[in-house]
Amino acid sequence: MAKRDYYEVLGVGKDASKDEIKKAYRKLALQYHPDRNPGDKGAEEKFKEATEAYEILRDDDKRTKYDQFGHAGPGGGFGGGFGGGGGFEGFDLSDALRAFMRDFGGFGDFFGGGGAGRGRHGPVRGGDLRVNLRLSLEEMAAGVEKKIKLGVRDVCGDCGGSGAAPGSSPRTCPTCRGAGQIRQVQRSLLGQFVNIADCPDCHGEGTRIDQPCPTCRGDGRLEKQQTFTVRIPAGVTAGNYIPLRGKGNVGPRGGPRGDVLVVIEEKPHPRFERHGDDLLAEAQISFAEAVLGGSIEVPTLEGSVKMNVPAGTPSGKIFRLRGKGFPHLRGHGKGDQLVRVHIWVPKKLKKEEKKALDEMRQNELFRPPAE
């Protein structure tokens, strides 16, 4: 599928200033951010699309090339992508989130943080890891501390992360002379252009290894099981994520660590259905209570409470208990407890009870009005 024009994606003109581009991107990013649209794949794609457009247009060099050559760019792509890749072919949600957090501090202070990507050359940043954490509604409401265990690429103990066999060391790449980049001059009808790309021999690292470490085979990393403690604040929602900065995979041959993204999932609850910070529960009332009114006990996250049912309550009516719902994330107060009542109908009746109901049926007061 062909990509849309980056200016069209952000809704700005080709003469837009950097401030206008940043402002337009921020508006779209907040609108389609995964935290505001949990589980919405369409919003996630729009968030990634807007971030990709922003990453090109915010950079003077990339923007100039894009204006001249479109999406292809001179030499077939825009270098300097996320996660150590060349270009945006592998651009995913974690890349987009990292870019957003870099310039805007994350989605609120709690989900904020830096998180640098790969530089123009030098050691490659390690990949981010994603782990889904399933929590009960009670845990999400009260806040909880959890331990998670996962496999992480860590520094090889035999080579110290260099990737070189003990007794040897990496040497400066002869192709790029340690710069990690090479310059390619291209001529076209529009003139002469200089394209800077990662060195193909050292992959942008600036060094080469002649004698790889036999333990890690030159990668400088081995997978190890790590245990992390993560604190979940009260009021989180399914789809929220908590970044553990610098806890992800270490980069190959001494590269900086990536992050661990802990994504919240909600376990189904037997009694409550969540709607934002409001909770919906079902309750049964007798026919007599529906007609005459009364007091019933209804469930909340903090235990049962009494609720008055007024006379003449129809089946399916929803009552609202203010401040008895889910706590607001990083804020004061709570949502509401919603209670939907249903009239309970007995299945077995004695002869006298049937007679009484038959008499009621004959009374027009117990018949629905004619339409």
Side-chain angles (χ1 to χ4, degrees):
M1 183 176 179
K3 290 185 178 181
R4 286 202 298 156
D5 178 80
Y6 287 143
Y7 293 99
E8 178 186 342
V9 170
L10 296 183
V12 299
K14 292 193 174 182
D15 58 346
S17 65
K18 282 190 174 181
D19 286 342
E20 290 173 329
I21 289 171
K22 188 173 184 178
K23 184 178 180 180
Y25 166 66
R26 184 178 186 276
K27 181 179 179 181
L28 290 172
L30 289 175
Q31 179 181 353
Y32 297 115
H33 197 285
D35 282 356
R36 282 188 172 170
N37 305 274
D40 188 339
K41 293 298 182 182
E44 180 178 312
E45 289 303 317
K46 289 182 179 179
F47 177 73
K48 291 191 292 184
E49 181 185 49
T51 306
E52 180 177 337
Y54 173 64
E55 285 301 286
I56 292 297
L57 299 184
R58 66 181 284 275
D59 184 282
D60 289 339
D61 183 50
K62 292 177 182 177
R63 183 177 180 180
T64 298
K65 292 177 182 177
Y66 176 74
D67 288 343
Q68 292 176 333
F69 299 96
H71 287 290
F78 291 101
F82 292 94
F88 285 86
E89 270 60 66
F91 190 81
D92 60 17
L93 179 59
S94 62
D95 297 328
L97 291 170
R98 193 157 57 245
F100 178 81
M101 290 186 288
R102 177 199 62 214
D103 288 358
F104 300 101
F107 193 59
D109 294 335
F110 174 72
F111 296 115
R118 177 183 177 179
R120 292 184 65 88
H121 61 85
V124 178
R125 180 183 184 275
D128 293 339
L129 297 174
R130 170 174 172 153
V131 56
N132 295 337
L133 183 61
R134 286 172 58 84
L135 300 175
S136 67
L137 201 60
E138 288 82 1
E139 290 173 325
M140 296 168 71
V144 67
E145 190 172 89
K146 290 283 188 177
K147 291 186 181 295
I148 56 175
K149 187 176 182 180
L150 68 160
V152 177
R153 287 185 175 272
D154 209 344
V155 174
C156 173
D158 289 349
C159 66
S162 70
S168 67
S169 60
R171 66 184 178 93
T172 300
C173 175
T175 303
C176 64
R177 298 181 181 180
Q181 298 173 331
I182 57 173
R183 299 165 65 88
Q184 298 174 332
V185 179
Q186 296 180 333
R187 290 179 174 82
S188 70
L189 295 177
L190 300 177
Q192 178 174 293
F193 299 93
V194 178
N195 182 39
I196 300 176
D198 285 346
C199 174
D201 290 338
C202 67
H203 306 290
E205 296 180 30
T207 58
R208 294 183 60 179
I209 297 174
D210 294 327
Q211 300 180 47
C213 170
T215 304
C216 64
R217 299 181 180 180
D219 187 62
R221 305 175 296 176
L222 293 173
E223 184 163 316
K224 301 178 182 178
Q225 290 293 317
Q226 299 278 11
T227 301
F228 304 104
T229 299
V230 56
R231 177 68 190 175
I232 311 298
V236 293
T237 302
N240 286 157
Y241 64 93
I242 299 174
L244 303 180
R245 302 296 177 200
K247 300 295 185 180
N249 290 329
V250 70
R253 293 172 291 283
R257 285 188 180 275
D259 304 328
V260 173
L261 301 178
V262 182
V263 182
I264 305 300
E265 291 185 349
E266 182 180 318
K267 295 179 182 178
H269 198 280
R271 303 199 72 176
F272 299 112
E273 183 179 301
R274 186 173 176 183
H275 297 269
D277 287 343
D278 293 340
L279 296 176
L280 174 65
E282 310 287 342
Q284 290 188 326
I285 58 175
S286 68
F287 176 71
E289 287 169 329
V291 175
L292 302 175
S295 178
I296 64 171
E297 285 198 351
V298 296
T300 73
L301 281 176
E302 297 177 349
S304 297
V305 298
K306 288 189 176 297
M307 184 185 78
N308 289 324
V309 178
T313 295
S315 185
K317 182 176 177 59
I318 296 178
F319 294 91
R320 184 181 294 269
L321 303 179
R322 301 286 181 183
K324 295 294 185 180
F326 210 78
H328 301 314
L329 177 64
R330 297 183 293 110
H332 299 289
K334 298 181 179 181
D336 301 330
Q337 172 74 61
L338 307 177
V339 182
R340 181 161 50 204
V341 297
H342 302 275
I343 297 177
W344 179 75
V345 178
K347 295 182 179 180
K348 294 183 178 181
L349 295 174
K350 295 180 180 179
K351 185 176 180 179
E352 307 86 57
E353 295 164 343
K354 289 182 179 180
K355 182 179 179 182
L357 284 174
D358 189 57
E359 292 176 355
M360 291 173 57
R361 182 167 56 183
Q362 304 304 320
N363 191 327
E364 291 190 2
L365 289 175
F366 291 95
R367 295 179 183 177
E371 296 183 0

